[in-house]
Amino acid sequence: MPEVLNEPSDLSPLDETHGEALRFEEPVKLKGRKRFIQSLQRISSSPSLARMGRVPSSSYRTGGKASMSCVSLASNYSAYASSHQNHSSSQTSVGFSTAPTSVVTTPGPESQTFDFDSRIRIISQSSAGQVGATPLTAPLPAEARTISKEAPLPTALEVPDGYTDCSSRPLLEVVPERKLRTIDFWGEMPYEIKVHIFRFLKPREIIRCSAVSRSWHEMCFDGQLWAELDTQEYYRDIPSMSLVRLMTAAGPFVRDLNLRGCHQLWDRWATHGQAMAEACRNLQSFSLEDCRIDLSSVHHFLLQNTRLVHVNFCRVPAVSNSAMRIIAQGCPLLESLNVSWCPHLDTQGLHKIIESCTNLKELRASETKGWDDKNFLSDIFKRNMLQRLFIDRSDADDESLQVLFQGRDPEVDPLTGQAIVPTRNFRHLNLSRCTRITDKGIKYMSQNVPLLAGLQVSQLVNLTDGAFKQLFEDTPLLTHLDMEQIDDITNSTLQKLAQSPCTPVLQHLNISYCENLGDTGMLPIIKNCPGLRSVQMDNTRVSDLVLAEAAAQVRLRDQPSPNRPPTTFTPQDPIPPTTATTSSPQQHQPQPPKIALHLEVYDCQNITWTGIREIMSRNSSSLPRPHQHPHPHHQHQHQHQHQHRLINLKCFYGYQPTFDEHLKRLQSNKRESAERLERKWAEYMVASEEAGAGGAGARRRRRRAREAAVGWVDEEEGGGFGGGGLGMGFGGVGRGGRRRARSGGACVVM
């Protein structure tokens, strides 16, 4: 047995008693069976086989600590055998140790000498823990050790203090698999947010969504979605029973109920009318226009809703004076009432409304009887609360207007002859087709309606120029004036209107079928009224001069105003400071033009194609050309310019399709295509006029007219779609690139 030394000083492999050192002999190369067994021993020390549970070789120990040299150079001798039994094995394990963590004092292969009489000392576990002991080799990691099925794996691996072994870390870190959470957004969403999302849908879409599930059905019929129930868009498609169920379910939440045109409810009012009325208790706006309903259902709705503000019973035969009494007793907050064309209603019922509803501002009572009742009109005068009054097609006369505007027995100024009364609050008056009204009745309005903005006196056949002479001077806020079919007024009325204080604010003028009006009266209106938006002058004597003047005035108004303050940036700056950081391609794109003026000149004998072309030419010139690129400095200087203005025209039916196509191209910013269409149409019109003239060359002129007609038709049908049909003769390409056959002339039979 070898002697085991207990002193740490005996660890040196060299013995001082031997004077000379011997070089180790080279290891003997094994052959045959011994070499094969040695290879198997090397394979058995692999960490991968250790995890698979392979039993290690029985030639080396597994109970204690080991080194890399022991794993790689294990032999069949015993670890505790004496050194003189096998010098080759001992030299191999000491002189050629492959442990990478050997200390630096271990001699290398060139200078390693060892005495044959020296003995190997085995370090016990007790000596390894001594203070000051230096480890000669690094311990083998636990993952690299071979595991025996009989011997259990050590619970802990002893490592000296202050030593870090990188090989002891796990080779593969197992990351736990993350489980994705399934989120039910719609199920976990609060109910209030769901209802708010449904509010962005239209009523028809909400009804369709109610068929998805039971929960959606309950949500779609929630009253919060039906605060405004307007059936005007879908009243023809919704069944009567669905409408009844909707009203009963959402009734307590409905504030605005519009049943206009719901004739399908006629059979449901008798059975479900009271239930619907009891469900809808919080109405503020109630409309039954053109609805077939019985009188009892109307009374039920009026009795259940005491906070009504707007009521519309236009063309409801069931409404009578009894319904007006219920409104007067239970609806003190009423502000607007429409009872036009109710045959069973007269001013006796309206008198109750005037007396009780002190907030009433709008009254529409077209084609009702009793407007010659002086007591009723006197109450309206005393209260002075109405702002909009519609009594067209009624039996009102001059005396009715006198009581309405001046009251009974007013005090008269001896100097001017005008009644001294407070001014009225009327903003809009509709006296159309009240045939009993004359100039005298209109004169009662003078100096009494300074806030008047809209006046409709169409088809008052008894009016003349004297009715409006003083009225225009006393209405500086007049914006809408309708004088349609007044045969006796002349151009002097329009000239007086052009000099009145209301010219800056006048927007809409209707002089249709006034056959005595012409250019003399309309030219001052076009020049002096910059705010005109629509002029209806069909069946009058206006000519192309009015159209040319309208085109010139709109062109002048389309130019930038010189009083506009300039942009605050220096000329050296290429981009204004306000737009330097927010410039984008969308800012440089031209805005689509807008319609600034609408003219109706059909059935006017003096309007020709030259006036129509003048409007078309002006519209084309209002848009910039695509190839025009202004200087960047000027482009940014006018970056916030207004939209370009166009003129819309309703003219002779033979010219209307061409004008509509021209306007459509301009609204799509296709100026070149619009100008090409205008040129082709003008060539055709000129050639047509020349072809109608007699004399020499008539045949050639007719042929030229036919060719111009072909080019114009091709351009109108296909010129705006990729440029097809540019006067290609009789085989022109029309809409969509399809070639149409041309016969070369008109068919004699057809």
Side-chain angles (χ1 to χ4, degrees), residues 120-138:
I120 298 175
R121 181 170 64 90
I122 304 301
I123 302 176
S124 61
Q125 294 183 0
S126 59
S127 61
Q130 295 178 2
V131 179
T134 302
L136 299 180
T137 58

Side-chain angles (χ1 to χ4, degrees), residues 93-375:
S93 60
V94 177
F96 294 91
S97 176
T98 60
T101 55
S102 300
V103 294
V104 295
T105 56
T106 304
E110 292 83 9
S111 61
Q112 287 180 354
T113 57
F114 192 74
D115 190 5
F116 290 101
D117 297 332
S118 62
R119 291 174 294 182
I120 298 175
R121 181 170 64 90
I122 304 301
I123 302 176
S124 61
Q125 294 183 0
S126 59
S127 61
Q130 295 178 2
V131 179
T134 302
L136 299 180
T137 58
L140 187 66
E143 292 81 0
R145 295 184 182 180
T146 57
I147 302 174
S148 177
K149 293 183 179 180
E150 292 80 5
L153 186 67
T155 57
L157 190 65
E158 297 181 3
V159 180
D161 296 339
Y163 177 78
T164 302
D165 188 6
C166 296
S167 62
S168 62
R169 298 178 181 177
L171 299 179
L172 181 62
E173 182 179 0
V174 180
V175 180
E177 182 180 0
R178 294 182 58 184
K179 295 183 179 179
L180 297 178
R181 179 189 175 190
T182 303
I183 302 177
D184 186 7
F185 290 97
W186 186 257
E188 298 180 2
M189 189 179 299
Y191 182 81
E192 292 77 8
I193 299 180
K194 297 179 183 178
V195 174
H196 182 71
I197 293 175
F198 274 100
R199 288 178 180 174
F200 292 93
L201 301 179
K202 297 181 179 180
R204 182 178 299 180
E205 298 173 346
I206 296 177
I207 296 298
R208 291 179 179 177
C209 292
S210 63
V212 175
S213 62
R214 291 184 178 180
S215 60
W216 280 49
H217 184 273
E218 296 177 359
M219 194 180 308
C220 289
F221 283 94
D222 194 324
Q224 302 179 35
L225 296 175
W226 303 101
E228 181 180 354
L229 182 56
D230 189 359
T231 62
Q232 185 175 355
E233 298 180 358
Y234 54 90
Y235 69 93
R236 296 182 180 180
D237 303 329
I238 185 171
S240 59
M241 201 60 204
S242 299
L243 187 57
V244 170
R245 184 168 61 252
L246 180 61
M247 292 177 60
T248 54
F253 298 91
V254 177
R255 298 291 185 271
D256 186 359
L257 179 60
N258 186 2
L259 300 178
R260 179 179 180 180
C262 293
H263 296 280
Q264 65 270 29
L265 292 176
W266 172 249
D267 299 334
R268 303 293 179 182
W269 290 117
T271 56
H272 301 82
Q274 186 175 359
M276 289 186 291
E278 292 179 355
C280 302
R281 292 175 173 268
N282 300 314
L283 295 181
Q284 295 180 359
S285 179
F286 184 38
S287 177
L288 291 176
E289 183 176 355
D290 292 328
C291 184
R292 298 178 59 186
I293 186 174
D294 56 353
L295 182 60
S296 61
S297 299
V298 173
H299 291 176
H300 283 307
F301 271 100
L302 295 178
L303 291 173
Q304 296 295 334
N305 296 272
T306 59
R307 290 184 292 271
L308 285 174
V309 179
H310 305 280
V311 176
N312 185 3
F313 288 155
C314 182
R315 288 185 290 270
V316 180
V319 175
S320 61
N321 293 332
S322 60
M324 298 298 101
R325 286 192 294 267
I326 296 176
I327 294 177
Q329 295 174 3
C331 302
L333 303 178
L334 187 65
E335 296 181 2
S336 175
L337 177 63
N338 187 357
V339 289
S340 300
W341 294 286
C342 295
H344 303 290
L345 180 67
D346 56 17
T347 55
Q348 292 182 1
L350 296 178
H351 199 178
K352 301 292 183 181
I353 299 292
I354 296 298
E355 293 176 350
S356 302
C357 301
T358 58
N359 295 327
L360 187 65
K361 296 180 176 58
E362 180 179 0
L363 177 60
R364 297 173 180 262
S366 302
E367 203 172 341
T368 54
K369 299 178 181 180
W371 283 97
D372 53 354
D373 186 1
K374 304 301 186 292
N375 296 327

Side-chain angles (χ1 to χ4, degrees), residues 433 457-462 482-489 510-515:
R433 298 190 180 184
V457 289
S458 62
Q459 299 185 16
L460 296 184
V461 294
N462 298 324
D482 185 3
M483 299 187 298
E484 180 182 359
Q485 202 171 351
I486 302 179
D487 300 332
D488 295 336
I489 61 174
N510 186 1
I511 56 172
S512 300
Y513 291 92
C514 296
E515 298 179 357

Side-chain angles (χ1 to χ4, degrees), residues 61-100:
R61 298 168 53 196
T62 59
K65 293 183 179 180
S67 65
M68 280 293 187
S69 60
C70 299
V71 175
S72 59
L73 302 176
S75 60
N76 56 358
Y77 69 92
S78 176
Y80 298 98
S82 58
S83 60
H84 63 273
Q85 292 181 359
N86 194 345
H87 297 282
S88 176
S89 299
S90 61
Q91 292 174 3
T92 302
S93 60
V94 177
F96 294 91
S97 176
T98 60

Side-chain angles (χ1 to χ4, degrees), residues 694-701:
R699 185 176 181 181
R700 183 178 63 255
R701 290 193 297 269

